[in-house]
Amino acid sequence: MKNIYNKLMQIAVCVFLVATASSCDNDIQDIGGAQQNYNTAYGLILANTNLTTFAKAIQLAGLESSLNTPDDFTYFVPNNTALDAYLVANGYVNDLGYPDINLVPVDDLKQLVLSHVVKGVKKRVAKLEGIEADYLTTGDYATMANAVNPDLYLLSINVTNNVLKVNGSDKAAPGLDYYGTNGFVNVLDNVIVLTPPAPAISSLSQVLASAGDVITITGQNFVKVKTVKFGSTEATFTAVSNTEIKATVPADFDSYALIVVETEFGVSAPSGIGLKYLLYEDSLKGTGGGWGGAVTWQSTEKVSRGTYSIKKVIGSWEGITMKSEKLLNVADYQFVKMSIFPTESTKIFININSSDLYNSDKGTTVTLVPGQWNNISIPISNLHPELIPGGKFDEILIQEFSNITITPASTIYLDDIGFL
């Protein structure tokens, strides 16, 4: 009887241990405050009837073996409505006018799918108090598409107050991301496009240039640059990065050109370099005069650019005039530009009104910083173009105008004078 009792006890203990082990094996793990589905992240996509178009895209692109693995994944999957809208917008419709994922070229499908997948991490959105988990945070993430094509943009993610924004898609996070054994599936209302937009020029390293100069073009989206043009002339260039290009000013550059950058993804808006009419560049295109101290029209003492500048020894109210070799139309220009180096602090008066050159009511004044080149840009509108008869002019006046005593032999140097 005792032996039978012992046998029953052993059986009961074994049953208890087996039941306990089974319970542990089937226990649903808590991740980020929600029960984990015992399915892979890939399996969740296949099981979701709202994601069937994306699942079909995976199959058509031949990516099942790459995504149906035990590796960790975070998916950002456009729902069927978003993908259908994308297909229609890009012309992938069948004879009946319905969106058809089968019409998308395989290479494009691969990039589309991989642009929505981050491999190696499994991250959810909403941070829950007291729960330890991997969370998505605001920043740029490399997708599987970036691994194939490093020129593509990174995935831009913003998480604020538990709301996820992925390249412009907004969704409330809690309850809308699905968790599998190896990752999360975030459902989006748009299709992610990582293709770089058209390039944009923000600045040039120099305002004026000469043929052969190497200038730096700064901007954005300099990806797969095809050409850099000065007007209609292609320049030799090196794309240093996505935001910087080094370009050599072409040999046929005169004094002004519109620069455009062309990539495989578009063409930038033009950015002007130089002056439309350069009155002085190492030499005067016309005649000049002045009163007071001496004028040296080709001085090598201080030069902003090139070989020569104008040296003017200047005292109180003394000045210089320059007359163009051709008549200029004020409507063709927006700015008067020049570089001036004064040896001491002073103010100058500038006028282009040829019929009334010495009338201080028809020009403007500029205060100069001593001991350095002052790059001046004066709007033509500040020079009262409405008072110029016929809108035509051919002369510019620069006069000392500080109303203080200037040191004898005070000097100003002038360079790169012209109109833009």
Side-chain angles (χ1 to χ4, degrees):
M1 189 74 178
K2 185 176 181 181
N3 288 337
I4 295 174
Y5 175 78
N6 289 337
K7 288 288 186 181
L8 291 174
M9 287 295 294
Q10 290 174 2
I11 292 171
V13 170
C14 288
V15 170
F16 173 78
L17 291 175
V18 170
T20 301
S22 176
S23 174
C24 290
D25 286 344
N26 291 323
D27 185 35
I28 297 178
Q29 185 179 358
D30 189 32
I31 296 182
Q35 290 182 339
Q36 177 171 315
N37 187 317
Y38 265 108
N39 199 347
T40 65
Y42 178 77
L44 289 176
I45 294 173
L46 295 181
N48 193 319
T49 57
N50 196 32
L51 304 178
T52 55
T53 307
F54 190 80
K56 181 68 172 177
I58 293 173
Q59 296 164 6
L60 292 173
L63 292 172
E64 292 174 282
S65 60
S66 299
L67 300 178
N68 190 15
T69 72
D71 299 301
D72 290 340
F73 293 96
T74 300
Y75 286 87
F76 303 91
V77 181
N79 58 32
N80 290 344
T81 301
L83 256 176
D84 284 348
Y86 170 85
L87 293 172
V88 171
N90 288 275
Y92 299 121
V93 294
N94 59 25
D95 293 340
L96 298 176
Y98 292 108
D100 190 347
I101 194 72
N102 294 279
L103 300 177
V104 183
V106 172
D107 286 343
D108 292 345
L109 265 183
K110 286 181 179 178
Q111 180 169 308
L112 185 149
V113 170
L114 296 178
S115 293
H116 293 77
V117 187
V118 177
K119 186 178 181 179
V121 297
K122 51 179 182 180
K123 292 178 178 286
R124 66 158 294 144
V125 179
K127 290 190 175 182
L128 303 178
E129 187 175 352
I131 301 298
E132 290 187 10
D134 289 331
Y135 294 106
L136 282 169
T137 56
T138 298
D140 291 332
Y141 291 73
T143 68
M144 293 182 71
N146 294 112
V148 176
N149 184 357
D151 287 330
L152 295 177
Y153 269 39
L154 296 175
L155 191 66
S156 177
I157 290 176
N158 181 286
V159 180
T160 304
N161 297 327
N162 292 340
V163 174
L164 172 66
K165 299 179 180 180
V166 183
N167 286 28
S169 174
D170 294 1
K171 76 175 188 68
L176 292 183
D177 39 9
Y178 301 94
Y179 339 115
T181 55
N182 66 330
F184 290 78
V185 178
N186 301 279
V187 180
L188 305 181
D189 60 8
N190 76 323
V191 175
I192 296 168
V193 178
L194 300 182
T195 301
I201 299 173
S202 57
S203 65
L204 305 174
S205 60
Q206 55 197 74
V207 176
L208 300 173
S210 302
D213 288 352
V214 177
I215 68 167
T216 300
I217 304 171
T218 303
Q220 295 178 319
N221 314 322
F222 297 153
V223 175
K224 294 189 175 180
V225 180
K226 295 172 64 178
T227 62
V228 176
K229 291 184 178 180
F230 285 65
S232 60
T233 304
E234 291 191 14
T236 302
F237 71 91
T238 301
V240 179
S241 68
N242 289 358
T243 59
E244 182 179 317
I245 295 173
K246 300 284 187 183
T248 302
V249 180
D252 64 354
F253 177 78
D254 184 10
S255 64
Y256 177 79
L258 291 174
I259 299 176
V260 294
V261 174
E262 181 185 7
T263 71
E264 290 189 6
F265 308 103
V267 180
S268 70
S271 182
I273 187 169
L275 298 173
K276 291 182 180 178
Y277 183 75
L278 197 54
L279 180 61
Y280 183 90
E281 181 193 32
D282 284 346
S283 63
L284 182 62
K285 293 180 180 177
T287 58
W291 65 101
V295 180
T296 305
W297 294 100
Q298 289 185 304
S299 170
T300 58
E301 291 181 4
K302 290 188 185 297
V303 177
S304 173
R305 188 179 64 93
T307 305
Y308 302 110
S309 68
I310 301 169
K311 176 184 176 181
K312 168 65 178 174
V313 178
I314 198 164
S316 297
W317 310 112
E318 296 175 356
I320 186 173
T321 61
M322 287 164 278
K323 190 164 186 175
S324 168
E325 61 189 6
K326 71 175 187 177
L327 197 62
L328 305 175
N329 188 341
V330 72
D332 293 337
Y333 306 100
Q334 292 181 297
F335 297 93
V336 177
K337 287 181 165 289
M338 65 185 73
S339 297
I340 305 181
F341 187 109
T343 55
E344 63 180 274
S345 181
T346 187
K347 181 190 291 184
I348 58 171
F349 169 73
I350 298 172
N351 191 12
I352 61 169
N353 197 317
S354 304
S355 64
D356 203 359
L357 205 59
Y358 301 95
N359 187 338
S360 60
D361 293 332
K362 297 184 177 180
T364 192
T365 59
V366 177
T367 300
L368 303 177
V369 179
Q372 67 181 51
W373 284 101
N374 295 248
N375 296 312
I376 298 171
S377 182
I378 302 169
I380 290 288
S381 57
N382 288 0
L383 301 176
H384 308 287
E386 72 282 358
L387 301 178
I388 300 176
K392 305 288 186 178
F393 71 99
D394 61 0
E395 196 166 6
I396 184 169
L397 163 76
I398 301 170
Q399 181 183 5
E400 201 287 324
F401 216 72
S402 65
N403 199 26
I404 61 174
T405 302
I406 299 297
T407 303
S410 177
T411 304
I412 61 171
Y413 298 87
L414 303 101
D415 205 351
D416 291 326
I417 304 167
F419 303 91
L420 176 60

